[in-house]
Amino acid sequence: MEEKQPSKAQGSQGENIEQFGYKQELRRGMTLRDVVLYGVLFMVIIAPQSIYGEIQIASGGMTPLVYIVGFVAISFTALSYLRMSNRFPIAGSVYSYVQRGVNPHVGFIAGWLILLDYVFVPSLLLVMVANWGVALVPGSPWYLWVVVFVVFNTFVNIRGISMTKGVDWVIFIVEILAVIAFIAIGTSFVLGGGGAGQLTLDPIYQPGKVDAHFIATAVSIACLSFLGFDGMSTLAEETVKPEKTIGKGIIIALCIMVVVFVAQTYVAALIQPDVSQVSAEMGFFDAALLAGGPLLQKVLLVVNIVAVGIANIMNAQLASSRLLYSMGRDGVIPRFFGKVHPKFRTPWIASIALGCISLILPIFLDMTTLVAFVNFGALSSFILLNFAVFLFFFVKEKKRSSFGDYVKYLICPWLGIFILVYVFTGFDLQTYAVGVSWLVVGLIIGAVKSKGYKEVPEAFKHLEV
C-alpha cells in the first residue's frame, strides 16, 4: 500500500496531523529545548557510571573511545529517524514510520518489536534502582523501591507533559551538577599527582590495541548505551513544529550525550589507569571514592537512583504510553489504549497499564532476561526503520537526483542496517529465543487483527492511495 503524500505546502504544517488520517488529541507545547532535555534525560547523562567498570575492562582501558565509536555507529539510524520524523511528524515512532514507509502490516511488526524495548525497559530500570536502593539503605525492602517509583512516575505521566517538564528540569540540573563536580574533583586529583598524574591520550587511543575485534566490541556495547534517542520521536503530536523539532532534537541530544559520556569516562580512566584494579560492578564509584572520598561516592550513588528512578523511568513510561496510544487508536492492539484523558489530554489508560506491568515484571524477570527483551526489540525495529527510509525515499519517491540523495537515502540507511545486523550476530541464544518467540506471537496477532493481513488500520482507509 502506497500513501499519496501531501503537497510541499501541506508538509510544512507538521502540526496538521489530519493529513495523516488522525485528529489532534494530545496537548501540544513542547519546544526544541524540551525535546532535547527529554532525550538527554531518557538516555541519562550519567548512564556510563553504572556500566563503566564492565566497559573499561572489555575495552582495555579505552571507554571514551568506545563511546565515540558507538556514537558514529548509531548516528546512521538517528539520521533515519530525522528523515522520517520530518516527513511523518506523528506519534508512534518506528511503528508509524515503517507503517508509512513500507506498509501498515510491516509497520505493525516494527511496532510490536519495539514494544519489547519500550514496555520492558522501565522494568529493567526499576530492577537497577531497587538494587542500588538496597545498597544505599541496607535492610530496606527491595520491592518497596519498585512500588514507590512506579506510582510516582505513573501519576506524573497521567498529569501530562507540563508537569513532566518541571520534574525533568530539576533532575537535569542535579545530574549536571554531579557530573561537573566529578570532573572538577577528578581532574584536580589527577593534576595533583593522583592516578595517571597527568592528562594523557591513553583512555582515547592506545597504539596496537585498536583492531577489528575492538571495534566490534565497542559497537556492540556502545550502540546499546545510546538507546533512548528513538523515544523522542513519540512526542511528535505534543511538540510545536514537530517536522523540524523532533529530528533536530535527536541529533542535538546525541551530540550532547557523546560529549558528556566521553568527558566523565575520560576523567574516571585517568583516576584509576590500571585496568586490572577496576571493578566491573563499582568501577566508576571506586574512581569517585579515590578522587573525592566517601562523600562523593555516596552523592553519585544517590544521584543515580534519583536520575534513573525518576527522570529515566518517567520518560521511558512516557514514550511507551505514546507508542501504545498510537497503536491503540489504529486498532492493531485493543482500542482502549488509544483513550485520552478528557482533562489532562494524555493517554491515561496506556500509562496505568504500563505502571501495572512495571509492578509485575520485576518480580518474575531478572536483569539478564529484561536486557534480552530490550536489546532484541530495539535493534530489530531499527533495522526495519532504516530499510523503510531506503524503500520510501529512494525507491518509491525516486529521490536519486543528486549525490546527496544517494548519501541520505541509500548509503546511510544501509550502513545503519549493516552495523545493526553485525551487532545482532553477537547476541546469545537466550536473546534470540526471547526475540523470535515475541516475533512469532506478533505475527499471529497481526494476522488475526488484519484478517490475514488483508485489512489496514482505519486511518489508512480514508487516505488517497
Side-chain angles (χ1 to χ4, degrees), residues 296-438:
L296 180 60
Q297 184 187 48
K298 288 188 178 297
V299 166
L300 290 180
L301 188 58
V302 171
V303 170
N304 272 269
I305 292 174
V306 173
V308 175
I310 297 180
N312 198 203
I313 293 175
M314 181 190 302
N315 288 311
Q317 286 186 309
L318 182 68
S320 303
S321 64
R322 272 55 181 177
L323 175 62
L324 290 176
Y325 162 75
S326 184
M327 297 179 76
R329 71 178 175 186
D330 280 344
V332 296
I333 60 175
R335 288 191 179 276
F336 59 75
F337 285 112
K339 297 292 184 181
V340 175
H341 194 283
K343 179 179 179 180
F344 303 123
R345 294 175 66 185
T346 57
W348 65 286
I349 293 181
S351 296
I352 291 175
L354 282 165
C356 293
I357 292 172
S358 297
L359 282 173
I360 296 171
L361 291 182
I363 300 175
F364 301 102
L365 301 178
D366 59 19
M367 283 189 64
T368 302
T369 305
L370 288 168
V371 167
F373 273 103
V374 172
N375 288 350
F376 189 96
L379 299 188
S380 57
S381 61
F382 287 176
I383 290 172
L384 290 176
L385 170 73
N386 280 300
F387 179 74
V389 170
F390 160 73
L391 182 66
F392 181 80
F393 291 104
F394 194 79
V395 177
K396 291 183 178 180
E397 291 207 327
K398 297 180 172 61
K399 288 188 176 295
R400 316 165 194 164
S401 60
S402 67
F403 177 71
D405 287 341
Y406 277 83
V407 171
K408 290 188 291 186
Y409 308 123
L410 175 65
I411 297 175
C412 283
W414 278 103
L415 280 174
I417 290 172
F418 291 144
I419 290 170
L420 293 168
V421 169
Y422 184 71
V423 175
F424 235 84
T425 61
F427 288 163
D428 57 26
L429 290 178
Q430 182 187 32
T431 303
Y432 288 126
V434 167
V436 172
S437 298
W438 181 265

Side-chain angles (χ1 to χ4, degrees), residues 159-175:
R159 286 298 304 272
I161 288 291
S162 58
M163 186 173 186
T164 303
K165 287 193 295 185
V167 176
D168 281 351
W169 274 109
V170 174
I171 302 299
F172 179 69
I173 292 172
V174 171
E175 285 185 329

Side-chain angles (χ1 to χ4, degrees), residues 11-12 34 45 66 106 109 168 178-179 198 252 285 364 373 387 442:
S12 63
D34 298 322
I45 61 176
V66 167
V106 179
I109 297 302
D168 281 351
V179 171
Q198 60 180 336
I252 293 174
F285 301 108
F364 301 102
F373 273 103
F387 179 74

Side-chain angles (χ1 to χ4, degrees), residues 172-226:
F172 179 69
I173 292 172
V174 171
E175 285 185 329
I176 286 294
L177 291 176
V179 171
I180 292 174
F182 173 78
I183 291 175
I185 294 172
T187 302
S188 177
F189 173 78
V190 172
L191 295 179
Q198 60 180 336
L199 303 181
T200 72
L201 289 177
D202 287 348
I204 297 177
Y205 180 73
Q206 297 176 30
K209 289 189 176 182
V210 180
D211 53 18
H213 175 71
F214 176 87
I215 297 297
T217 302
V219 170
S220 300
I221 295 173
C223 267
L224 302 177
S225 299
F226 286 102

